[in-house]
């Protein structure tokens, strides 16, 4: 049934000793497209994903994946979804081909078909040459690609990607984004966690922001940005003594308090959208206040949290 | 008419054409029907053998370790305990075989525990397979290691002058009984491997079990030379019974009681610890 939800979680709780990793999580994810789960270190993203992928049992609450209860029907869940975890799940002591053939065999491909499938995937992920090498000699980006390839030996209806781009260079990150888009185009629902608003904004149709094991905001990236502002406009004036004039102009155009930075020539101000920012910069020029440069930055996760919770994103991870 | 083609770095282009291949691969990933439990187990066994192939260093424990043991004990105790080295070897070799292979079973838990620390375990746990095949397969791979160790020891024994009356069939049957027992016994390690937090802690715990049971046995000396209070402990030590059974079979004179006892113990071990392992695994 296309109408069933990809994920439906109600009141899910998971404690590790005194740590409330997941503390009453509610989530409803429709099928199709990318759903982003955004949260800082220690927010409970991985724990939530591990519960949804049958790796952890929740202490309380109900979680259903594609209509199947994760604790009562783990096998039904496993036969329709797959996971690329935060930490590599490929086998270092095997070659790339062997990793994929092993999985293909477990899914029920014959030896020959498993091999053919492995070669097809390696080729698609730009690993054809590295296929015969042991995975321990792979770079981080190659390993991540093999990990994702491992998750689609049989194309799943739903795939979980836990921080798929953390630690990758920009090029590898773009490759992963391309793969995510390809997955969606082929009809797989993607749920991905990330610490970057930009990534969620680029890929996801809807985003849930989680903090301390709870969803604190949910909606489209535009909803989210409307409540947070689209970011900060930072301006650097040429003459320090003109900063005050620039401040007055920006405040007048944007109607927001302008923050003067420690750097005596720069200022920054929150803006609702890029058009307003352009207007404000134009106004400075019109008034003859020379500027050295300006930039419009996406709000950082910190700013999102500040706006949503009134406090900075803190990592609940133990210092130890 | 000229169309401006956007220029992009070459590398990026290379992967972009691959994206079509990713889509093609996604389209081709139809789900085959589920393989049998036996096929799943053999797939895990195959993986275990591949790992041996890629990291042959890890075979040290099934080759060097047994060779050292046989040489050390034969020449260290041979003269003193039995008067002659060849004579002692007839008694010692089946025992050393038992001790070595029982000791190697520890690595089962060790390997498993290491695997849990790595992500590979998460991968197999999210697959639509009958989950206990993870362990059955690993143990099948281990059985290959036990066989290798047995072959090394028996070959070395034959070179040094081991001549059992049961001949080749006796040696094969004796080894087989040992393998059956070790396959069942290893489930203790899979259970411990799931419980213990680190490979180091696990190793410590395993040693605490293995050293007493293999040394306080009849492997090295006849228990009749031991103090009275120790004799019953040694005689009823499962490893002693196993050693007696293997020794007897190799000598062409299978001791019914011990053989039956070993088989019964195997059944008990597997029917207790296999479900326990499964239970811990599912609860994790
Ligand atoms: N196995 C565990 N035992 C004890 N505490 C745990 C365990 N797993 C997670 N935690 C704790 O639960 C909280 C949530 O962790 P989780 O890994 O889910 O966060 P996360 O959002 O994935 O963070 P990150 O961005 O760092 O991956 C953290 O405080 C973490 O220390
Ligand atoms: Mg995480």
């Amino acid at each position: 049934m296309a109408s069933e939800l990809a994920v439906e979680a109600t009141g899910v709780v998971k404690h590790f000793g005194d740590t409330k990793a997941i503390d009453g999580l509610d989530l409803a994810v429709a099928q199709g497209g990318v759903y982003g789960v955004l949260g800082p270190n220690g927010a409970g993203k991985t724990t939530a994903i591990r519960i949804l992928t049958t790796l952890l049992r929740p202490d309380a609450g109900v979680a259903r994946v594609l209509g199947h209860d994760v604790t009562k029907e783990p096998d039904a869940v496993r036969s329709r979804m797959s996971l690329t975890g935060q930490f590599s799940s490929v086998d270092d002591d095997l070659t790339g081909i062997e990793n994929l053939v092993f999985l293909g065999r477990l899914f029920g491909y014959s030896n020959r078909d498993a091999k053919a499938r492995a070669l097809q995937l390696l080729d698609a992920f730009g690993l054809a040459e590295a296929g015969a090498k042991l995975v321990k000699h792979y770079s981080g980006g190659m390993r991540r690609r093999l990990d994702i390839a491992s998750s689609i030996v049989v194309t799943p209806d739903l795939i979980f990607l836990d921080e798929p781009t953390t630690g990758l260079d920009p090029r590898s990150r773009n490759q992963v984004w391309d793969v995510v888009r390809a997955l969606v185009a082929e009809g797989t629902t993607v749920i991905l966690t990330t610490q970057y608003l930009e990534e969620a904004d680029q890929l996801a149709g809807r985003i849930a922001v989680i903090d301390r094991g709870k969803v604190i905001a949910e909606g489209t990236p535009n909803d989210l940005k409307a409540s947070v502002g689209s970011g900060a406009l930072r301006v650097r004036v040429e003459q320090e003594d003109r900063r005050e004039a620039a401040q007055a102009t920006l405040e007048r155009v944007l109607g927001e308090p302008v923050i003067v930075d420690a750097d005596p020539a720069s200022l920054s101000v929150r803006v609702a959208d890029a058009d307003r920012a352009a207007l404000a910069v134009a106004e400075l020029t019109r008034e003859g206040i020379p500027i050295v440069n300006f930039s419009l930055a996406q709000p950082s996760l910190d700013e999102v949290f500040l706006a949503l919770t009134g406090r900075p994103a803190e990592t609940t991870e133990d210092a130890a | 008419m000229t169309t401006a083609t956007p220029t992009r770095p070459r590398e990026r282009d290379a992967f972009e054409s691959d994206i079509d291949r990713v889509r093609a691969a996604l389209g081709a990933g139809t789900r085959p029907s589920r393989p049998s439990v036996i096929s799943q187990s053999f797939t895990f066994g195959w993986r275990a053998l591949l790992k041996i192939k890629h990291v042959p260093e890890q075979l040290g424990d099934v080759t060097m370790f047994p060779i050292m043991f046989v040489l050390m004990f034969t020449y260290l105790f041979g003269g003193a305990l039995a008067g002659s080295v060849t004579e002692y070897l007839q008694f010692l070799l089946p025992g050393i075989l038992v001790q070595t292979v029982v000791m190697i079973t520890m690595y089962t838990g060790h390997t498993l525990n290491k695997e849990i620390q790595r992500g590979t375990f998460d991968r197999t746990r999210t697959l639509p397979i009958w989950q206990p095949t993870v362990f059955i397969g690993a143990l099948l791979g281990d059985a290959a290691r036990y066989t290798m160790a047995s072959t090394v020891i028996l070959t070395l024994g034959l070179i040094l002058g081991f001549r059992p009356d049961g001949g080749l069939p006796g040696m094969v049957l004796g080894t087989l009984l040992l393998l059956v027992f070790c396959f069942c016994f290893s489930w203790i390690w899979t259970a411990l491997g799931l419980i213990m937090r680190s490979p180091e802690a696990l190793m410590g715990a395993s040693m605490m079990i293995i050293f007493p049971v293999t040394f306080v046995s009849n492997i090295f000396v006849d228990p009749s030379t031991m103090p009275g209070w120790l004799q019953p402990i040694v005689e009823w030590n499962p490893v002693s019974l196993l050693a007696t059974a293997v020794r007897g079979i190799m000598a062409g004179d299978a001791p019914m009681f011990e053989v039956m006892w070993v088989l019964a113990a195997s059944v008990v071990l597997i029917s207790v610890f296999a479900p326990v392992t499964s239970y811990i695994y599912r609860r994790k």
Side-chain angles (χ1 to χ4, degrees), chain A residues 41-42 44-47 86-87 162-163 193 195:
Chain A
N41 284 128
K45 301 182 296 294
T46 299
T47 309
Q86 183 171 3
F87 305 104
D162 194 1
E163 297 196 27
T193 69
Q195 298 190 32

Side-chain angles (χ1 to χ4, degrees), chain A residues 206-227:
Chain A
R206 290 188 81 81
I207 300 174
V209 182
I210 71 169
D211 179 37
R212 299 176 172 177
K214 275 198 197 73
V215 174
I216 56 167
E218 208 267 354
T220 64
N222 282 337
D223 293 343
L224 204 64
K225 283 192 287 190
S227 62

Side-chain angles (χ1 to χ4, degrees), chain A residues 215-279:
Chain A
V215 174
I216 56 167
E218 208 267 354
T220 64
N222 282 337
D223 293 343
L224 204 64
K225 283 192 287 190
S227 62
V228 176
S230 64
L233 172 68
R234 182 182 287 268
V235 177
R236 212 176 130 79
V237 293
E238 210 174 278
Q239 298 129 7
E240 288 170 18
D241 56 3
R242 301 298 303 275
R243 184 163 80 163
E244 243 168 77
Q247 183 176 0
T249 306
L250 289 177
E251 269 173 4
R252 189 176 41 126
V253 178
L254 296 169
E256 287 267 351
V258 172
I259 300 152
V260 290
D261 291 355
D263 174 353
S266 61
L267 326 101
S268 59
V269 56
R270 268 179 50 178
V271 288
D273 58 68
D275 294 337
R276 301 286 303 269
L279 259 174

